[in-house]
Amino acid sequence: MTDYLIVGGGLAGCVLASRLKEHDASLSITVIETGPNEHDHPLITEPLGTMQLNNSRFQYNYKTVPQQHYDGREVFQAGGKLLSGSSAVNYAAWSRGDRADYDLWGKMVNDKRWTYDGLLPYFRKTENHHDPQADPHQHGFDGPIHSTPALGRTYPLTKHLKEAYLKIGVKPNHDHNSGDNKGMAPHIENWYKGKRQPAGKAYGLKGVEVLDNKTVKKIILEDGPKNLRKAMGVELTSGQILKANKEVIVCCGTIRTPQLLMLSGIGPANELKKHNIPLLVELPDVGKNFNDHSSITQFYRIRNPENGLCAPSPAFNHPSYLEGFPTDYIIAESAPISALKHALQLDSPDQSVTGTDPCLFPPRSHYEILPMYAPTEVPLTNMNIPLDGSVISIGIIGLLPTSRGSVTLASTNPKEDPLINPNYYATHFDRAVLRAAMRRKMTAFETPEGQAVIVEEIPPAGFPALTSKSTDDELDARVRRCAGTFYHTAGTASMGRVVDTECKVNGTSGLRIVDASVVPTPISAHYMVMVYALAEQMAEIISSSSKA
């Protein structure tokens, strides 16, 4: 028997295990991870290895169900399937998001611990900030994760593209991790000295028992006091039973956490009935509220590719380029409010939309523009972009989607992927945001500064090249044909619906969830930093409750 049984050795699971052990060295802590420990594999450690991880054994390589608003296409989804989870396979972007996002989270659950100020100590705690002169109120300098500015690498196209965005009025932002991410800021990563920092390696897991290559079949629940179901332990697919003296903590992520809950008899009654699973705890919102950052990547042919201006050109070979992902600036902005108000009204015709709607006020960061000096086509988009050093990519990300989807069971086999239906691009609001972002980026590329770099956009076969003057219908048609995701999923075990503000699963005792599935509203960030802070705060909450 172990004190804490952590199911899922991803980012959150590794942080929790390490910090709980630090708080009380006498505790026994066991982490169960379905994948291997591959911290030292070159595809994991090296920045350019990231480009080869899709469809590898180190990831869950999912396909969504056909997406109604993407012309019935399946969309590639991914997540880490190894110790340290997605922190071992992601692109290592280090971004917090905007204060307003977290303040809305705190307001939704009526708990200031989940506001920006409530999470700020934990943003600092995880961080070893690259600039010793940075604001110590905002940044930490002795945490386990080193941040690195991509501007430490000088790319040939940086000057031209930066000037193009400034020309159209994008505001400079020297630090997008200070509570306000709006503007054009240096891209910050957590590659450190050219190597990845997986959570399990950075935090150490000293004194923690790690059981890798083992899959949990279900959580064992028994009748407990106050009509609650008490989590006693887990059963593995091998039939082995592992018991927990204190708590079972599920950290399987937005897609696998609701699957495990439902397989254990926790979830919507109708969904469990479909699969003849006995209903032990009825929680209708398990698997609901799925949200993800839908995105579209546009590809541009550049001038003078023979000069080695982007990957994978053999001449794009400065040693510093091996130290991180080939990008330099990140842009976040608000979309035009008038268009968004109109879209919100179309989405809710029976309600009056005002300027104080939380999608609009305080000023929100609705989209992100991310230039990448490489062709970054993802699986299932079938664009066939040339890999000859002549093409750059511009990622356009809708950061605050109002579309909501679901995760449901495909079968009772825990090793089988569940059914993932993100319901991308379902709202007028989400469409208005992506259109605004695409036009903003294309306006920059149509300036003299942009034209000094760009020859033309590369559209998919049968589609026209897009410009800032393209119609809404033309932009929407491109999104339906090409859009995908940046793999920032959340919400399927939402705080306030499935768990309380200390991540205890409603209707149970001794059972918590600590991962992005509990986050009730989208955050305008790449989610790694948020999950670190979530896990850091939960480690303190759990440790305090254990000593009470």
Side-chain angles (χ1 to χ4, degrees):
M1 182 175 286
T2 188
D3 289 320
Y4 289 101
L5 194 55
I6 297 176
V7 183
L11 188 163
C14 288
V15 173
L16 267 181
S18 296
R19 291 304 196 195
L20 289 173
K21 190 70 175 177
E22 286 180 20
H23 283 298
D24 185 348
S26 69
L27 291 173
S28 57
I29 299 171
T30 299
V31 173
I32 307 171
E33 168 53 42
T34 195
N37 179 354
E38 293 279 7
H39 286 160
D40 297 320
H41 193 285
L43 290 183
I44 304 303
T45 61
E46 306 303 317
L48 295 185
T50 304
M51 311 282 257
Q52 302 175 58
L53 288 171
N54 285 340
N55 288 321
S56 74
R57 64 184 176 87
F58 304 115
Q59 291 190 164
Y60 288 105
N61 298 291
Y62 299 115
K63 292 180 181 178
T64 69
V65 301
Q67 292 299 286
Q68 176 182 352
H69 304 288
Y70 281 178
D71 286 346
R73 288 189 296 116
E74 296 174 324
V75 176
F76 181 76
Q77 260 288 356
K81 190 181 182 181
L82 72 173
L83 188 64
S84 296
S86 292
S87 74
V89 298
N90 63 21
Y91 283 26
W94 192 252
S95 66
R96 287 182 189 173
D98 196 83
R99 169 185 290 274
D101 310 332
Y102 295 97
D103 289 351
L104 179 59
W105 175 358
K107 183 178 180 179
M108 289 174 69
V109 301
N110 194 30
D111 192 326
K112 291 181 179 179
R113 289 178 295 186
W114 303 108
T115 64
Y116 183 82
D117 286 339
L119 282 162
L120 183 56
Y122 306 99
F123 290 136
R124 292 195 299 257
K125 187 173 183 179
T126 198
E127 181 181 53
N128 193 319
H129 193 65
H130 57 275
D131 180 5
Q133 304 305 314
D135 180 358
H137 177 68
Q138 291 291 338
H139 293 290
F141 303 93
D142 56 5
I145 305 295
H146 295 260
S147 66
T148 300
L151 289 183
R153 308 182 294 275
T154 302
Y155 293 109
L157 299 181
T158 296
K159 179 176 181 293
H160 293 287
L161 293 187
K162 179 181 179 182
E163 289 176 350
Y165 286 113
L166 293 174
K167 184 71 172 284
I168 65 169
V170 177
K171 299 183 185 309
N173 181 344
H174 77 281
D175 182 3
H176 72 135
N177 287 326
S178 61
D180 180 2
N181 63 348
K182 288 176 284 298
M184 178 168 56
H187 182 62
I188 307 301
E189 307 168 308
N190 74 330
W191 301 107
Y192 181 56
K193 296 182 179 180
K195 302 294 181 183
R196 187 186 292 278
Q197 302 172 83
K201 191 170 186 178
Y203 275 72
L205 295 172
K206 184 178 180 181
V208 174
E209 180 185 32
V210 176
L211 305 177
D212 57 12
N213 294 299
K214 289 181 171 52
T215 301
V216 172
K217 179 181 179 181
K218 66 178 181 179
I219 302 160
I220 299 170
L221 299 167
E222 296 183 358
D223 290 338
K226 301 179 181 179
N227 294 317
L228 301 177
R229 296 282 188 171
K230 179 170 176 55
M232 306 301 295
V234 301
E235 179 183 349
L236 304 184
T237 53
S238 65
Q240 182 180 359
I241 303 294
L242 299 174
K243 293 292 187 72
N245 184 44
K246 292 180 178 289
E247 293 186 14
V248 175
I249 307 173
V250 178
C251 305
C252 298
T254 300
I255 293 170
R256 292 290 175 169
T257 284
Q259 179 190 33
L260 179 58
L261 292 180
M262 288 184 278
L263 291 176
S264 305
I266 303 171
N270 61 340
E271 181 64 20
L272 272 59
K273 186 177 181 180
K274 290 178 191 175
H275 299 277
N276 297 314
I277 298 171
L279 178 65
L280 301 181
V281 181
E282 184 171 8
L283 291 178
D285 290 308
V286 169
K288 305 294 196 300
N289 196 40
F290 181 104
N291 60 88
D292 187 14
H293 290 163
S294 60
S295 66
I296 182 166
T297 299
Q298 289 182 262
F299 300 94
Y300 287 87
R301 202 177 308 279
I302 59 172
R303 301 186 188 279
N304 306 311
E306 68 277 4
N307 293 336
L309 304 180
C310 66
S313 168
F316 187 75
N317 58 11
H318 191 280
S320 67
Y321 299 167
L322 299 175
E323 295 179 358
F325 195 72
T327 188
D328 43 28
Y329 281 97
I330 187 169
I331 297 165
E333 291 186 311
S334 302
I337 297 302
S338 59
L340 296 187
K341 285 182 71 174
H342 177 66
L344 287 169
Q345 195 66 70
L346 291 174
D347 287 328
S348 302
D350 297 330
Q351 300 179 20
S352 178
V353 177
T354 70
T356 59
D357 188 283
C359 290
L360 309 176
F361 185 84
R364 307 294 301 276
S365 297
H366 296 114
Y367 62 76
E368 177 181 302
I369 301 172
L370 183 63
M372 297 169 280
Y373 303 122
T376 58
E377 183 180 357
V378 298
L380 303 184
T381 52
N382 302 315
M383 286 281 289
N384 301 314
I385 298 300
L387 303 175
D388 58 4
S390 68
V391 179
I392 63 171
S393 312
I394 310 295
I396 305 289
I397 309 169
L399 295 173
L400 302 175
T402 57
S403 299
R404 293 293 183 269
S406 64
V407 173
T408 54
L409 295 176
S411 75
T412 57
N413 181 357
K415 294 186 177 182
E416 184 176 349
D417 295 343
L419 300 177
I420 306 165
N421 181 13
N423 196 27
Y424 291 124
Y425 220 50
T427 63
H428 292 280
F429 181 87
D430 290 357
R431 295 168 203 157
V433 167
L434 277 192
R435 289 184 207 128
M438 293 167 74
R439 287 195 173 107
R440 184 70 159 159
K441 180 265 304 169
M442 290 185 290
T443 299
F445 280 16
E446 290 162 8
T447 64
E449 291 79 3
Q451 288 295 294
V453 172
I454 300 302
V455 176
E456 60 185 355
E457 193 219 7
I458 304 175
F463 286 74
L466 297 176
T467 74
S468 64
K469 306 300 182 185
S470 296
T471 66
D472 287 357
D473 286 346
E474 288 172 327
L475 298 180
D476 286 345
R478 178 67 69 83
V479 171
R480 290 195 303 269
R481 165 61 182 81
C482 298
T485 171
F486 265 54
Y487 320 116
H488 303 154
T489 61
T492 51
S494 286
M495 192 176 288
R497 297 184 182 187
V498 175
V499 301
D500 67 11
T501 57
E502 295 192 346
C503 291
K504 296 176 183 176
V505 177
N506 295 334
T508 74
S509 64
L511 180 62
R512 299 190 206 237
I513 300 170
V514 181
D515 57 38
S517 70
V518 306
V519 181
T521 186
I523 305 296
S524 62
H526 299 237
Y527 281 178
M528 177 162 57
V529 176
M530 174 192 73
V531 177
Y532 271 116
L534 164 68
E536 287 276 15
Q537 172 147 247
M538 281 308 307
E540 287 199 2
I541 289 172
I542 293 169
S543 294
S544 297
S545 66
S546 177
K547 294 174 183 177

